[in-house]
Amino acid sequence: MVSSWCYFVLPVVLLIGFLRKCRECTWGRCKNTSSLQGRVFIVTGANSGIGKETVKELAKRKATVIMACRNMQNAKNVISEIRHQTPNGELIPMELDLASLSSIREFAAQVLKNFPEIHVLINNAGVYTPLKDHAITEDGFEIHFGVNHLGHFLLTNLLIERLKENAPSRVVIVTSKLLESGVIDFSNLNGEKGVTTKGRMNPGYCNSKLANAYFGMELAKRMKDYNVNVYMVCPGFAYTGLFRNVKRSRFHYILFSPIALLFLRTANQGAQTVLHCAIEPSLADESGHIYRNCELYVSEKELDPEVALQLWEVSEKLTAAKET
């Protein structure tokens, strides 16, 4: 005899499955499948999560992809995995630790030496670390501000002349809707005065994502006359290794499971808007905007151009980018 539980559980499972399919339809997919042969892309954080899926999609389209990764063995493992799926594209692993300004400079120097053409820079890598860990970068910056913002700020500035030379070119900056919970406090960029936790959010991470958006805003303004387009991307809430350092009890996972089934994207689904902004020709005149679900996203947070400029100037000093 069929358990009476089946009459309850089965309809619930089917309903959740149906609702998820409906949600997936709103997330958007990159529809451009044109060949990218001859186009050179740099993807930071390319050995896992959204970065890895972005590399897969670019390889399918025959692109040359410089995989900027902290762990070279992981990068090589990913290349082996991708090669089981597609023989297309050229995949080049290169070491980059965004928590080290010296590593960023060394990486950029090698790229400039070996690659006369760079067409798209995808600033994807990011960290999310519990505030109680008080993690800092090699150079003493708060880990979120240092890696998610300053690391990519310096990398982009070191490569921007090459991107200008190969225009039309693009810079894609992965941010997050969580930027709307962030603040830019110039007297506390490194959390010197501590941070106030809002619920379960990580203020350090939210602030760094807001910094990403401000960086993209000011960069787009500066690249206006050089045919280098800049796009900020919210990939959506995706299942990746970003939150691997956050410890939760088994109860939390059980409680979270129904929500995850409805709202949590796969890494490949999260990569779609990144890919869309990196290769879609119709966006050629849409620089300086935020995108989500493969379409323009209007943030609830109004970005102040004066804050963007001040953050740029502070970041230049902190990274000594202007001296390079």
Side-chain angles (χ1 to χ4, degrees):
M1 182 180 292
V2 179
S3 171
S4 59
W5 277 100
C6 291
Y7 293 108
F8 170 75
V9 173
L10 184 58
V12 170
V13 171
L14 291 174
L15 177 61
I16 291 175
F18 173 74
L19 291 175
R20 177 173 176 87
K21 285 297 181 183
C22 291
R23 288 196 61 81
E24 287 179 348
C25 291
T26 69
W27 290 341
R29 291 194 67 82
C30 178
K31 297 177 182 177
N32 190 298
T33 57
S34 300
S35 173
L36 297 172
Q37 192 161 15
R39 302 285 287 177
V40 180
F41 295 72
I42 298 176
V43 181
T44 67
N47 61 282
S48 64
I50 289 171
K52 173 181 171 182
E53 293 302 319
T54 300
V55 172
K56 283 183 183 179
E57 295 293 339
L58 292 172
K60 289 177 184 177
R61 294 163 173 81
K62 303 181 180 179
T64 295
V65 187
I66 300 170
M67 300 171 60
C69 305
R70 185 175 59 178
N71 187 305
M72 291 300 289
Q73 187 56 55
N74 287 348
K76 291 173 183 177
N77 291 343
V78 167
I79 291 174
S80 178
E81 177 185 329
I82 293 174
R83 284 293 171 244
H84 280 93
Q85 300 176 21
T86 177
N88 296 331
E90 183 178 2
L91 305 178
I92 305 162
M94 291 184 65
E95 186 173 352
L96 171 65
D97 182 359
L98 286 163
S100 165
L101 297 183
S102 62
S103 174
I104 296 168
R105 292 181 183 279
E106 176 60 26
F107 171 83
Q110 290 300 313
V111 168
L112 294 174
K113 176 183 177 181
N114 297 315
F115 297 91
E117 293 187 354
I118 305 171
H119 301 102
V120 182
L121 170 62
I122 301 177
N123 290 328
N124 161 77
V127 296
Y128 185 106
T129 303
L131 294 177
K132 62 181 177 58
D133 292 351
H134 302 291
I136 59 174
T137 69
E138 179 183 286
D139 305 280
F141 300 116
E142 190 276 325
I143 194 71
H144 301 97
F145 180 65
V147 172
N148 299 350
H149 171 60
L150 289 181
H152 282 125
F153 176 87
L154 177 60
L155 177 64
T156 304
N157 275 278
L158 292 173
L159 299 177
I160 201 65
E161 290 301 321
R162 187 59 49 88
L163 286 161
K164 288 181 186 178
E165 293 167 6
N166 291 279
S169 55
R170 299 186 179 191
V171 177
V172 178
I173 301 169
V174 177
T175 179
S176 166
K177 194 174 183 293
L178 289 176
L179 70 87
E180 293 167 358
S181 296
V183 295
I184 300 297
D185 180 352
F186 289 103
S187 67
N188 194 34
L189 289 175
N190 263 316
E192 302 95 330
K193 301 177 180 178
V195 291
T196 302
T197 303
K198 300 177 182 179
R200 292 188 178 277
M201 291 182 183
N202 182 326
Y205 182 78
C206 295
N207 296 349
S208 72
K209 293 293 103 179
L210 178 57
N212 288 155
Y214 273 125
F215 169 42
M217 180 183 187
E218 180 65 19
L219 181 63
K221 179 180 176 182
R222 291 171 182 248
M223 293 298 107
K224 184 178 179 181
D225 297 327
Y226 296 99
N227 208 8
V228 179
N229 285 356
V230 182
Y231 308 96
M232 294 83 84
V233 172
C234 170
F237 188 26
Y239 180 73
T240 68
L242 179 65
F243 302 105
R244 59 185 174 275
N245 293 319
V246 179
K247 305 302 180 184
R248 293 281 187 254
S249 67
R250 185 173 298 178
F251 172 75
H252 279 109
Y253 284 110
I254 294 172
L255 193 66
F256 179 70
S257 293
I259 300 173
L261 286 171
L262 287 176
F263 296 99
L264 199 61
R265 309 179 192 209
T266 65
N268 186 268
Q269 289 168 331
Q272 294 305 309
T273 306
V274 176
L275 190 66
H276 177 71
C277 288
I279 70 174
E280 175 53 45
S282 66
L283 300 185
D285 299 319
E286 299 297 332
S287 182
H289 299 298
I290 301 174
Y291 284 81
R292 178 182 168 92
N293 299 330
C294 293
E295 60 186 20
L296 192 65
Y297 174 73
V298 179
S299 174
E300 296 176 7
K301 186 99 171 180
E302 186 175 351
L303 301 183
D304 183 347
E306 292 185 6
V307 173
L309 175 59
Q310 187 177 354
L311 180 62
W312 182 285
E313 292 172 344
V314 169
S315 300
E316 267 187 339
K317 292 177 182 177
L318 293 175
T319 62
K322 205 169 185 178
E323 300 172 11
T324 303

